[in-house]
Amino acid sequence: MIQNYDAVIFDLDGVLVSTDECHYQAWKCLADRENIPFDRKVNERLRGVSRMESLEIILERAAKQYTPTEKVRMAEYKNQIYREKIEGLTPSDLLPGVALFLRYLREQGKRIAVGSSSKNTGRILEKIGLDKTFDAVADGNDITKSKPDPEVFLVAAKKLGLPSARCIVVEDAFSGIEAGKAAGMTTVGVGSAGQCPSADYRLVDLADERLYQLF
Ligand code: B16
Ligand code: MG
């Protein structure tokens, strides 16, 4: 097992905090309003995917065509509902093992960053008490191409001042694992990506002790 990486770049939704349920509920409100069939299976395809690309996936099942202006308004409507939902987040919403692993990395002198597709990353980090924790944050506001494009992780590594080969990416989305690999980084899949065949390591969550062996 390769050891002594210098940094860990964490995906946000599904890795540090479970905002995926808030995304699902907000998209569900929009889909119901528009009479578009939408379920948790479709929702799985939205992991790590940008807001507008998520909307396009949902609209695959729509009975009518929407104009670009209507699409922007629909995405804004979803985001408004989502923003209300994330206001209810607290530090107790951190996923299992997150607080302990972050403390361990700090003690080991490792650098830590966030690499998320979400444009709401700043507010979410504030709500879960991690807004002053990371050395770098790269999010949906920093990028033009969403996962599986490597852009968000390359921006995070650049902000850390480290080459890709020194970074590990932790992701819950298959698209995120592909993005990490395309960035030339070692990948750890957790949650849904704990089953991703192309991930270098597959774990249940950050409480898995095997994670600590990488540092
Ligand atoms: P927003 P991640 C992603 O976060 C979510 O998994 C995905 O469902 C969402 O559409 C995307 O952020 C954009 O989020 O609408 O808040 O900009 O997994 O990359 O941390
Ligand atoms: Mg995610």
Side-chain angles (χ1 to χ4, degrees):
M1 189 178 283
I2 307 167
Q3 296 195 333
N4 281 325
Y5 293 96
D6 293 325
V8 182
I9 304 174
F10 295 89
D11 172 57
L12 180 64
D13 170 35
V15 171
L16 298 177
V17 59
S18 190
T19 39
D20 42 3
E21 184 62 22
C22 300
H23 280 296
Y24 172 72
Q25 296 293 343
W27 282 126
K28 184 74 179 143
C29 285
L30 174 74
D32 287 352
R33 189 191 77 174
E34 298 295 320
N35 279 319
I36 302 168
F38 177 65
D39 56 23
R40 289 179 187 276
K41 194 168 171 223
V42 177
N43 191 56
E44 273 300 307
R45 291 174 58 203
L46 311 184
R47 284 184 187 278
V49 176
S50 74
R51 197 180 309 157
M52 290 310 288
E53 286 171 278
S54 297
L55 177 62
E56 291 296 345
I57 291 171
I58 290 166
L59 293 183
E60 285 171 9
R61 294 178 168 197
K64 60 171 265 200
Q65 297 280 322
Y66 292 89
T67 67
T69 308
E70 285 173 328
K71 288 179 185 178
V72 168
R73 290 214 184 101
M74 289 161 86
E76 283 169 358
Y77 174 75
K78 179 265 176 177
N79 193 50
Q80 194 186 329
I81 298 168
Y82 179 68
R83 297 275 308 188
E84 285 164 16
K85 292 189 181 294
I86 61 175
E87 284 308 301
L89 293 172
T90 72
S92 68
D93 290 303
L94 287 184
L95 283 167
V98 170
L100 206 58
F101 186 50
L102 290 175
R103 202 175 319 139
Y104 173 80
L105 291 173
R106 275 269 165 261
E107 285 164 9
Q108 299 294 312
K110 305 296 178 187
R111 318 284 312 281
I112 50 177
V114 172
S116 168
S117 301
S118 176
K119 293 184 175 175
N120 293 302
T121 295
R123 186 63 184 146
I124 295 166
L125 290 177
E126 276 173 18
K127 294 301 297 183
I128 60 177
L130 295 183
D131 52 315
K132 296 183 177 66
T133 302
F134 295 94
D135 299 301
V137 174
D139 68 20
N141 300 296
D142 296 306
I143 58 171
T144 54
K145 288 163 278 181
S146 100
K147 302 164 187 174
D149 189 279
E151 187 178 12
V152 75
F153 295 130
L154 293 174
V155 171
K158 193 171 177 196
K159 287 188 180 192
L160 289 172
L162 289 170
S164 293
R166 306 304 306 153
C167 302
I168 285 191
V169 163
V170 186
E171 257 291 347
D172 72 310
F174 280 45
S175 62
I177 294 293
E178 296 317 315
K181 292 180 83 72
M185 299 173 185
T186 298
T187 55
V188 175
V190 297
S192 295
Q195 316 286 327
C196 181
S198 53
D200 295 301
Y201 301 96
R202 288 174 288 277
L203 309 174
V204 174
D205 55 30
L206 297 187
D208 194 315
E209 287 181 6
R210 286 173 293 167
L211 193 54
Y212 290 76
Q213 293 167 18
L214 297 171
F215 298 91

